[in-house]
């Protein structure tokens, strides 16, 4: 199987190439078969690899990419347990989303372009997780960024979508620039970009807390927070919902945004040598998960709620990474991919059946009208809230308990995570109650067809029982110390989501409390507006970055450097005018000038001689 | 090699004459001449033994070069007609001929007045550039440097757009004035050499390592540096470029951006640094500062433009900043990055200028506020623009990424702070590139607008460049292997 690893990214790449070159000539049926089939075939390859896997990492070198001086980076793959988890998620969930797209996007005039971009994305993402060196990883990293840009702005005839796409690309690029610097620094230290060689060398060369290690991991973290939409580079993700909904499910929920988590997990040996960075990872994760949960509570666009919830859930993964619960984070990455893809696809089904309605205030009572979507959403929300026995429960519980046992500030991290879990249940079930219960505001004009229903059903199953699957990463990460937390910690961790669910019941089903009254009160109004605008971070960045850059551009627009050369030209013209004015044609004047000139010259000669 | 120059030069003359015979004949003659030159080069290279490519082209042994010709020209001053070819020259000559073809294709239907003289100027300019990349006698180098200049001036001045008189004059004066500095430097260098060795020589091989008083050396180096940095163009000597590019006909812009700028980079790499290693080392911080400033300044100004061509022109200033940085970082990785950047930028920018030219031909404007939503009318053109925008902002998998990555990686080893500033270029580059795409091809459009999409000839040209950039992006090793001996030899010549 090792020799066929290259097929996994090559299949979607081949399909993308065909679609780009000949997509216009193909019928939609062929386009869909190619686009969906190639990812399905890649998924089968992954499945075969998993079945034959013996536990040892697989390595495969295709060709030398760049070899100059000390630098030697190949197009070569390294597949271990961590990679296999990622591969399974990308191709498995990816296949379901492709399948769903075939129906969801039917009738779009750029059907082939859509599948070409989506396949290209899958290729880049697969390369990212399979790369054995940081340069190839960066290739995939930037590739997914570009595809994300293309897909957010897929309907680019609307200028707002273009703006959202640019924002996503540029904000993540800022993180990528930091990551590139991290690569340069690591190369300067170790003379290689090979991840395994570098990890081994770091262990020998660096003691724990080495300043270079801290700096290098901090730079890598810069890239990770950009791609994974964590503070302070999270602002692009809510806007990224401008793309088609399956894109949000695949890229902006299940796969690409977890790339930062993957990067930190992949280079965990470096991060372990830099405790300050690791603590920063945990704090960033905690702050992000809380901030995003509050913001999610105050949105009314169904996709934006899910987007903020994605930011929040990735915050949990970062928290897990920061406290050394590597396996738990990767586990949560996988279960999150299941239930968040499910939620997005269900939301897409609602939007599809409700004439592109996004606002949950215009929905309601859909429980009986769209039963399959209701069940999907219910399961998804339960898993997202980590209600016991769902997939999200197993993974999130591990992270929350690990946070409690963190060496630094453990109980605080735990308390934050528990508060976040409460908020998660609150906003998840707010969504369920507002959309599916109460009065019917808009009637659906169709039901999801089999192409959309099948992926929903499969993802429902995974979101429910995905927690029983393990992640085979015990050989990848250091052994976690599993102490048993006190009983009260366990009980609170498990019970809090139920409290959130209960409060949502009271608030949004009109059982005693009314959410409307709360929001209408002056402090409620202010807070609602503040959280609705995502803590006004966008406004801050506008003032901090965008306006100064526009101002600088406006200032330099007239090219100040050219004024310098303009001055030279002006001087020449001045002399030219002065001299041509002296050409008067009057003999007397010429004579005078000549005599004066002769006297001056004689004087100079005489002085020089004397 | 002499034949290569003759084919192009005579081809130019023939193209001019052929206009009398038929108004469409010149372009076919020109196409034939460039194709023949390319074929000639390919066959000549093919016949070289493979192991020849791994030899270090040493200054003292002409036979370690891929090809070498030496004819007496003005023996009294030791001036010879000396040409030599190594991996670096070969790469750039091949790029020149290739972009010559692309320039021909881009102006295929654009020029309808004096087409014979147009094609002649195009070919003569190519002759000059090819000569520049092969000449190893400094006097001969200067001659070729001027030969490429005059036809380019005429191309802009005769076939340019509305502001052509100002732009062509500015172009000519900037390059001519800086060329004069180089001539003075060359003469001083040769004179100094004659003082020490007793005989005049302008040969690169003789002048390399010729001892030079350090303060004098600095000034002579500065003469070379200024000449090449104006050409590159480096900040703050770049102001001729936006005007020249904007006003030039498409073929002129393609040649200007694609290869004329590279003669500046080539000059720095081949002459300035190896001839004056100490002075260059001393000067490197300033050169690097100029390079980093150029990257950011060019990117901000590109963002501020509303003229499509001007935007691309300023993006060149930004990209050439990377070349300057790579050269003055002066280690194997960074220099290789600069060389890859020369090739990749040549292709990607030439393609963007072609897109700009096609838009101007179809819409009679370069103003992006009058564009928007063109994807609707011309999806194939839009896809090409998208591809080259992605190349220009340094997307991995395409040549420009390899270049910028290597430059920054090499630079970081010697000047991490400059590398941090230059890395900002990754962000600013994305800003102007995406804005350009948005204002021209994306956004709301008018489906009724008459903008014909690309036809077969244009698509073939574009696909050729797309294929080359992808090849350069996923397998740059072929190019790196070709130029590595030259880089090694230059590095050892000048010390690191």
């Amino acid at each position: 199987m090792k020799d066929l690893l290259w097929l996994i990214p090559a299949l979607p790449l081949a399909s993308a190439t065909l679609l780009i070159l000949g997509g216009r000539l193909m019928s939609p049926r062929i386009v869909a078969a190619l686009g969906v089939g190639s990812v399905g075939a890649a998924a089968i390859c992954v499945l075969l690899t998993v079945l034959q896997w013996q536990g040892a990492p697989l390595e495969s070198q295709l060709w030398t990419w760049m070899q100059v001086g000390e630098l030697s980076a190949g197009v070569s793959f390294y597949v271990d347990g961590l990679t296999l988890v990622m591969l399974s998620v990308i191709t498995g969930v990816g296949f379901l989303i492709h399948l769903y797209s075939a129906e969801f996007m039917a009738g779009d005039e750029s059907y082939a372009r859509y599948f070409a971009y989506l396949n290209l994305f899958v290729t880049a993402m697969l390369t990212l997780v399979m790369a054995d060196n940081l340069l190839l990883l960066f290739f995939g990293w930037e590739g997914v960024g570009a595809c994300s840009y293309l897909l957010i702005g897929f309907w680019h005839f609307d200028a707002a979508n273009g703006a959202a796409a640019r924002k996503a690309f540029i904000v993540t690029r800022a993180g990528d620039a930091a990551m590139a610097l991290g690569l340069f620094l690591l190369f300067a230290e170790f003379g290689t970009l090979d991840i395994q060689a570098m990890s081994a060398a770091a262990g020998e060369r660096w003691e724990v807390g080495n300043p270079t290690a801290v700096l290098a991991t901090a730079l890598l973290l810069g890239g990770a927070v950009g791609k994974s939409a964590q503070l302070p580079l999270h602002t692009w993700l809510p806007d990224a919902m401008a793309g088609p909904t399956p894109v949000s499910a695949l890229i902006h929920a299940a796969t690409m945004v977890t790339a930062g988590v993957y990067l930190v997990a992949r280079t965990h040996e470096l991060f372990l040598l830099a405790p300050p960075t690791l603590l920063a990872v945990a704090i960033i994760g905690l702050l992000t998960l809380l901030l995003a949960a509050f913001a999610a509570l105050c949105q009314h666009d169904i996709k934006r709620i899910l987007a903020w919830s994605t930011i929040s859930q990735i915050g949990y993964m970062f928290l897990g990474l920061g406290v050394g619960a590597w396996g738990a984070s990767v586990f949560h990455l996988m279960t999150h991919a299941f239930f968040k893809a499910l939620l997005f696809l269900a939301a897409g089904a609602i939007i599809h059946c409700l004439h592109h309605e996004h606002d949950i205030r215009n929905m309601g009572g859909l429980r009986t009208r769209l039963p399959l979507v209701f069940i999907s959403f219910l399961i998804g929300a339960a898993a997202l809230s980590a209600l016991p026995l769902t997939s999200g429960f197993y993974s999130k519980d591990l992270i929350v308990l690990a946070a409690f046992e963190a060496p630094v500030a453990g109980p605080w991290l735990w308390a934050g995570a528990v508060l976040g879990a409460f908020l998660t249940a609150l906003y998840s079930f707010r969504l369920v109650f507002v959309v599916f219960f109460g009065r019917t505001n808009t009637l659906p004009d169709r039901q999801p067809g089999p192409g959309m229903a099948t992926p929903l059903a499969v993802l429902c199953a995974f979101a429910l029982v995905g927690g029983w699957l393990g992640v085979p990463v015990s050989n990848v990460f250091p052994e976690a110390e599993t102490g048993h937390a006190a009983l009260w910690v366990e009980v609170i961790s498990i019970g809090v989501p139920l409290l959130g669910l209960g409060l949502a019941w009271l608030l949004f089903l009109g059982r005693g409390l009314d959410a409307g009254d709360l929001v209408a009160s002056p402090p409620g109004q202010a807070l609602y507006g503040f959280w609705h605008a995502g803590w006004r971070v966008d406004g801050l960045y506008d003032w901090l970055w965008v306006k100064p850059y526009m101002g600088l551009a406006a200032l330099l627009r007239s090219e100040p450097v050219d004024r310098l050369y303009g001055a030279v030209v002006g001087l020449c013209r001045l002399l030219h005018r002065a001299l041509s004015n002296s050409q008067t044609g009057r003999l007397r004047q010429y004579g005078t000038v000549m005599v004066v000139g002769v006297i001056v010259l004689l004087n100079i000669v005489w002085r020089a001689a004397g | 090699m002499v034949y290569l120059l003759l084919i192009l030069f005579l081809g130019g003359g023939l193209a001019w004459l052929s206009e009398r015979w038929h108004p469409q004949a010149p372009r076919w003659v020109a196409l034939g001449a460039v194709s023949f030159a390319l074929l000639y080069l390919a066959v000549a290279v093919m016949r070289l033994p493979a192991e020849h490519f791994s030899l270090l082209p040493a200054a003292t042994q002409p036979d370690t070069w891929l090809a070498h010709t030496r004819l007496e020209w003005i023996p009294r001053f030791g001036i010879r007609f000396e040409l030599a070819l190594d991996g670096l020259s070969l790469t750039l000559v091949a790029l020149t001929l290739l972009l010559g073809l692309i320039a021909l294709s881009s102006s295929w239907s654009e020029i309808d007045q004096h087409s014979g003289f147009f094609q002649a100027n195009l070919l003569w300019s190519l002759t000059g550039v090819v000569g520049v990349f092969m000449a190893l006698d400094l006097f001969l180098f200067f001659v070729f440097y001027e030969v490429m200049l005059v036809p380019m001036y005429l191309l802009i001045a005769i076939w340019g757009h509305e502001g052509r008189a100002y732009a062509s004059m500015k172009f000519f004066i900037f390059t001519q004035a800086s060329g004069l500095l180089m001539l003075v430097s060359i003469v001083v260098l040769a004179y100094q050499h004659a003082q020490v060795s007793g005989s005049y020589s302008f040969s690169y091989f003789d002048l390399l390592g010729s001892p030079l008083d350090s303060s004098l050396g600095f000034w002579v180096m500065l003469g070379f540096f200024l000449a090449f940095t104006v050409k590159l163009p480096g900040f703050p000597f770049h102001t001729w470029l936006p005007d020249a590019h904007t006003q030039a006909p498409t073929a002129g812009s393609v040649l200007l951006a694609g290869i004329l700028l590279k003669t500046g980079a080539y000059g720095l790499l081949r002459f300035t640094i190896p001839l004056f290693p100490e002075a260059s080392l001393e000067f490197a911080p300033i050169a690097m500062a100029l390079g980093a400033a150029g990257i950011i300044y060019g990117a901000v100004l590109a963002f501020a433009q509303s003229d499509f061509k001007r935007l691309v022109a300023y993006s060149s200033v930004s990209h050439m900043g990377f070349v300057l940085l790579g050269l003055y970082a002066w280690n194997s990785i960074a220099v290789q990055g600069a060389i890859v950047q020369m090739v990749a930028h040549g292709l990607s920018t030439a393609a963007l200028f072609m897109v700009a030219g096609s838009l101007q031909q179809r819409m009679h404007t370069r103003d992006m506020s009058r564009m928007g939503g063109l994807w609707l009318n011309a999806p194939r053109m839009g896809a090409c623009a998208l591809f080259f925008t992605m190349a220009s902002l340094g997307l991995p998998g395409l040549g420009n990424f390899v270049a910028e990555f290597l430059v920054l990686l090499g630079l970081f080893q010697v000047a991490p702070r400059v590398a941090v500033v230059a890395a900002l270029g990754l962000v600013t580059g994305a800003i102007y590139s995406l804005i350009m795409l948005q204002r021209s091809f994306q956004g709301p459009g008018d489906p009724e607008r008459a903008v014909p999409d690309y036809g077969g000839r244009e698509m073939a040209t574009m696909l050729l460049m797309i294929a080359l950039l992808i090849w350069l992006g996923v397998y740059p090793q072929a190019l790196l292997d070709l130029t590595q001996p030259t880089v090694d030899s230059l590095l050892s010549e000048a010390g690191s």
Side-chain angles (χ1 to χ4, degrees):
Chain A
M1 202 53 225
K2 182 184 150 187
D3 302 324
L4 290 178
L5 280 180
W6 62 272
L7 261 180
I8 299 172
L11 283 166
L13 179 64
S15 157
T17 314
L18 284 176
L19 287 173
I20 288 169
L21 292 177
R24 298 175 154 270
L25 310 173
M26 300 177 190
S27 74
R29 191 181 284 270
I30 296 177
V31 169
L34 206 54
V36 180
S38 62
V39 179
I44 292 171
C45 288
V46 171
L47 189 68
L48 290 176
T49 314
V50 171
L51 291 178
Q52 295 184 359
W53 189 52
Q54 307 288 333
L58 307 171
E59 290 177 60
S60 157
Q61 160 122 26
L62 295 188
W63 71 85
T64 306
W65 189 12
M66 286 180 227
Q67 187 171 22
V68 197
E70 280 180 59
L71 173 70
S72 174
V75 176
S76 39
F77 301 135
Y78 176 88
V79 175
D80 61 359
L82 173 61
T83 310
L84 282 177
V85 173
M86 298 299 292
L87 287 179
S88 311
V89 169
I90 296 162
T91 54
V93 176
F95 169 69
L96 292 173
I97 293 173
H98 275 70
L99 184 63
Y100 177 96
S101 297
E103 183 180 324
F104 187 88
M105 296 299 287
D108 195 285
E109 49 188 293
S110 302
Y111 200 59
R113 185 162 64 94
Y114 175 82
F115 275 106
Y117 289 169
L118 215 55
N119 281 341
L120 264 188
F121 167 79
V122 172
T123 309
M125 191 71 203
L126 292 170
T127 314
L128 194 165
V129 298
M130 290 170 78
D132 83 335
N133 61 75
L134 285 177
L135 187 56
L136 188 62
L137 188 148
F138 195 69
F139 168 94
W141 188 268
E142 293 280 292
V144 294
C147 294
S148 160
Y149 161 80
L150 293 172
L151 284 162
I152 296 171
F154 181 71
W155 290 310
H156 57 69
F157 307 117
D158 184 348
N161 296 347
R166 279 201 307 284
K167 182 175 173 187
F169 195 85
I170 291 165
V171 172
T172 52
R173 204 90 206 275
D176 297 351
M179 180 176 163
L181 288 172
L183 260 58
F184 304 149
L185 181 59
L186 287 169
F187 181 76
E189 281 289 307
F190 301 115
T192 177
L193 288 171
D194 183 272
I195 297 168
Q196 301 307 318
M198 187 186 286
S199 300
E204 289 166 15
R205 185 105 43 101
W206 285 342
E207 76 284 11
V208 174
N210 179 303
T212 317
V214 175
L215 182 60
T217 48
L219 288 167
L220 290 184
L221 179 60
V225 298
K227 207 55 107 199
S228 285
Q230 299 291 290
L231 277 177
L233 296 178
H234 65 286
T235 56
W236 62 271
L237 188 61
D239 290 350
M241 297 300 124
T245 308
V247 168
S248 310
L250 178 61
I251 300 184
H252 306 115
T255 56
M256 183 189 85
V257 287
T258 58
V261 179
Y262 172 78
L263 175 68
V264 178
R266 180 47 85 205
T267 54
H268 66 278
E269 273 152 322
L270 304 179
F271 278 84
L272 280 173
L273 297 171
T277 322
L278 217 45
L279 183 63
V281 174
I283 292 174
I284 286 175
L286 181 69
L287 289 178
T288 311
L289 82 88
L290 286 174
L291 182 142
F294 279 111
L297 201 51
C298 298
Q299 306 298 321
H300 30 72
D301 180 324
I302 188 168
K303 287 182 74 181
R304 278 182 96 87
I305 299 176
L306 294 177
W308 280 109
S309 119
T310 302
I311 299 179
S312 176
Q313 293 305 303
I314 297 170
Y316 273 104
M317 297 174 210
F318 268 65
L319 176 64
L321 295 173
V323 300
W326 310 102
S329 280
V330 174
F331 190 25
H332 195 54
L333 187 160
M334 183 180 80
T335 57
H336 175 258
F338 297 146
F339 63 73
K340 192 50 71 66
L342 173 64
L343 282 169
F344 263 113
L345 293 188
I350 298 173
I351 294 167
H352 188 67
C353 300
L354 245 60
H355 336 279
H356 303 287
E357 181 59 65
H358 279 233
D359 195 329
I360 58 168
R361 290 169 302 187
N362 299 333
M363 300 174 186
L366 294 176
R367 183 176 29 138
T368 49
R369 314 271 174 186
L370 296 170
L372 174 70
V373 179
F374 170 61
I375 293 169
S376 307
F377 222 96
L378 197 62
I379 293 173
L384 172 60
S385 315
L387 295 186
L389 301 181
T390 60
S391 60
F393 167 75
Y394 293 101
S395 52
K396 198 187 272 183
D397 198 46
L398 284 177
I399 293 177
V400 173
L401 293 181
F404 189 81
E405 287 163 16
V408 186
W412 289 102
L413 295 175
W414 172 79
V418 167
L419 176 60
F422 173 74
L423 291 168
T424 309
L426 184 60
Y427 71 68
S428 306
F429 281 93
R430 166 184 178 242
L431 197 50
V432 172
F433 293 146
V434 172
V435 173
F436 293 100
F437 291 80
R439 201 155 46 85
T440 307
N441 291 317
T442 315
L443 279 177
D445 62 348
R446 57 185 128 173
Q447 292 288 323
M452 287 163 77
T454 317
L456 283 178
V458 175
L459 282 171
C460 275
F462 275 106
L464 270 181
V465 303
W468 301 342
L469 300 169
V471 283
V473 292
S474 52
N475 293 336
V476 181
F477 300 120
E479 200 74 31
E481 297 157 32
T482 45
H484 274 285
L487 187 63
W488 62 273
V489 175
E490 291 261 18
V491 170
I492 292 179
S493 307
I494 296 171
V496 150
L498 295 169
L499 281 181
L501 167 62
L503 184 62
W505 175 268
L506 291 175
L507 281 172
F508 301 105
L509 275 184
R511 303 287 192 269
L513 288 167
D514 189 359
D517 291 347
L518 267 181
V519 174
S521 68
Q525 233 169 358
L527 266 184
Y528 187 85
F530 187 58
W531 287 338
H532 177 72
W535 302 67
R536 301 213 189 284
V537 178
D538 269 331
L540 178 70
Y541 285 178
D542 198 37
W543 180 76
L544 211 59
W545 305 109
V546 181
K547 290 238 165 69
Y549 194 74
M550 305 283 259
L552 183 67
L555 194 72
L556 294 179
R557 203 181 140 82
S558 56
E559 182 65 287
V561 176
D562 210 23
R563 303 248 176 87
L564 200 75
Y565 301 111
V568 176
V569 174
L571 189 69
C572 286
R573 290 226 172 108
L574 201 72
L575 283 173
H576 155 81
R577 216 168 303 137
L579 287 175
S580 48
N581 281 346
S582 72
Q583 197 176 354
T584 52
R586 289 193 204 130
L587 263 181
R588 256 190 300 173
Q589 202 179 347
Y590 289 179
T592 321
V593 172
M594 235 158 90
V595 169
V596 171
V598 166
I599 292 171
V600 169
L601 274 179
L602 280 177
N603 221 340
I604 291 170
V605 170
W606 182 61
R607 274 173 191 245
Chain B
M1 279 179 295
V2 183
Y3 291 115
L4 205 58
L5 292 170
L6 279 178
I7 294 168
L8 291 172
F9 185 74
L10 296 179
L14 200 62
W16 192 4
L17 293 176
S18 70
E19 194 187 355
R20 297 182 190 183
W21 178 53
H22 190 279
Q24 307 242 310
R27 61 193 196 190
W28 288 105
V29 173
L31 182 66
V34 180
S35 310
F36 184 55
L38 203 54
L39 196 70
Y40 181 83
L41 182 72
V43 170
V45 168
M46 234 70 108
R47 285 168 61 180
L48 285 171
E51 64 272 14
H52 213 94
F53 287 92
S54 53
L55 292 177
L56 288 194
T60 45
Q61 294 158 290
D63 55 334
T64 54
W65 293 59
L66 296 179
H68 184 262
T69 309
R70 176 184 272 191
L71 304 166
E72 291 297 326
W73 186 14
I74 313 176
R76 191 185 145 86
F77 294 110
I79 295 174
R80 301 188 189 92
F81 193 89
E82 181 165 28
L83 304 172
L85 200 70
D86 61 357
L88 173 66
S89 302
L90 175 62
T91 306
L92 291 170
V93 169
L95 177 74
T96 306
L97 295 177
L98 193 75
L99 283 175
L101 280 185
I102 286 163
L104 280 173
S105 159
S106 71
S107 63
W108 198 249
S109 61
E110 192 186 55
I111 302 300
D112 40 19
Q113 285 179 327
H114 313 292
S115 67
F117 192 47
F118 178 86
Q119 307 293 4
N121 276 311
L122 206 65
L123 287 179
W124 291 338
S125 190
L126 285 180
T127 315
V129 178
V130 170
V132 160
F133 288 142
M134 299 195 304
L136 281 185
D137 182 284
L138 263 68
F139 190 83
L140 182 68
F141 175 80
F142 179 76
V143 170
F144 280 124
Y145 202 76
E146 295 293 311
V147 165
M148 70 182 182
L149 173 64
V150 178
M152 182 51 72
Y153 164 75
L154 293 174
L155 283 181
I156 302 175
I158 301 178
W159 292 275
H161 302 307
E162 65 284 352
R164 57 182 180 264
Y166 172 75
S168 56
M169 195 77 84
K170 196 170 178 180
F171 165 70
F172 194 81
I173 292 175
F174 263 84
T175 24
Q176 190 70 357
S178 62
L180 190 65
L181 289 177
M182 177 166 70
L183 182 63
V184 171
S185 290
I186 291 175
V187 170
V188 172
L189 190 64
Y191 180 74
Q192 275 288 319
H193 177 75
Q195 296 284 305
V196 177
S197 69
S199 67
Y200 278 103
S201 171
F202 283 85
S203 170
Y204 177 66
F205 300 126
D206 293 338
L207 294 175
L208 261 184
S210 163
L212 208 58
D213 174 46
S214 72
S215 71
L216 181 67
F218 184 81
W219 289 106
V220 177
M221 183 281 296
L222 204 61
F224 275 91
F225 177 81
L226 281 175
F228 295 133
T229 312
V230 168
K231 196 76 173 191
L232 188 58
F235 176 85
F237 310 109
H238 63 276
T239 62
W240 60 270
L241 178 100
D243 288 309
H245 266 319
T246 311
Q247 299 303 332
T250 308
S253 301
V254 168
L255 285 192
L256 206 51
I259 45 181
L260 257 71
L261 306 187
K262 276 58 186 188
T263 60
Y266 174 80
L268 289 172
L269 176 56
R270 175 77 80 200
F271 297 108
T272 312
I273 302 177
L275 284 176
F276 315 100
E278 286 97 26
S280 295
L281 187 66
E282 202 181 313
F283 192 67
I286 299 176
M288 285 193 216
L290 291 181
I295 291 175
I296 304 299
Y297 187 84
V300 174
L301 268 122
F303 172 68
Q305 303 307 315
S306 55
D307 182 316
F308 194 109
K309 269 182 129 177
R310 247 184 132 74
L311 194 161
V312 181
Y314 274 111
S315 82
S316 288
V317 177
S318 189
H319 286 140
M320 288 295 110
F322 280 102
V323 173
L324 200 54
L325 284 178
L327 295 180
Y328 276 86
W330 203 242
N331 57 40
S332 183
I333 296 177
V335 172
Q336 283 283 26
I339 294 174
V340 179
Q341 178 80 329
M342 284 149 91
V343 179
H345 171 267
L347 293 167
S348 68
T349 307
L352 282 175
F353 276 122
M354 255 191 88
V355 173
S358 333
L359 287 178
Q360 168 135 22
Q361 203 184 354
R362 288 164 166 80
M363 304 182 70
H364 308 287
T365 182
R366 301 183 302 268
D367 187 354
M368 286 186 290
S369 64
R370 293 173 57 193
M371 300 177 185
L374 289 175
W375 191 292
L376 216 55
N377 314 100
R380 270 185 293 207
M381 203 196 279
C384 292
L386 172 66
F387 179 88
F388 291 109
T389 305
M390 287 293 156
S392 155
L393 63 74
L395 190 72
L398 307 176
N400 309 54
F401 168 74
V402 176
E404 286 170 20
F405 186 83
L406 289 178
V407 166
L408 290 175
L409 187 66
L411 179 67
F412 193 87
Q413 322 297 319
V414 290
R417 274 164 224 208
V418 185
V420 170
V421 177
L424 280 180
L426 296 179
V427 182
T428 51
I431 297 176
Y432 69 71
S433 303
L434 297 183
I435 280 288
M436 177 184 81
L437 197 64
Q438 174 72 34
R439 290 201 198 144
S440 49
F441 284 93
Q442 299 181 338
D446 172 12
E448 302 300 311
R449 187 161 38 190
V451 180
D453 205 352
Y454 273 158
R457 168 179 55 81
E458 284 150 322
M459 274 318 283
T461 316
M462 286 289 171
L463 283 175
L464 175 66
M465 288 193 277
I466 289 173
L468 284 171
L469 275 177
I470 293 178
W471 176 64
L472 210 54
V474 296
Y475 192 65
Q477 202 56 40
L479 174 62
L480 296 175
D481 285 342
L482 183 60
T483 52
Q484 191 63 48
T486 309
V487 174
D488 286 341
S489 126
L490 290 173
L491 285 174
S492 68
E493 210 60 70
S496 314

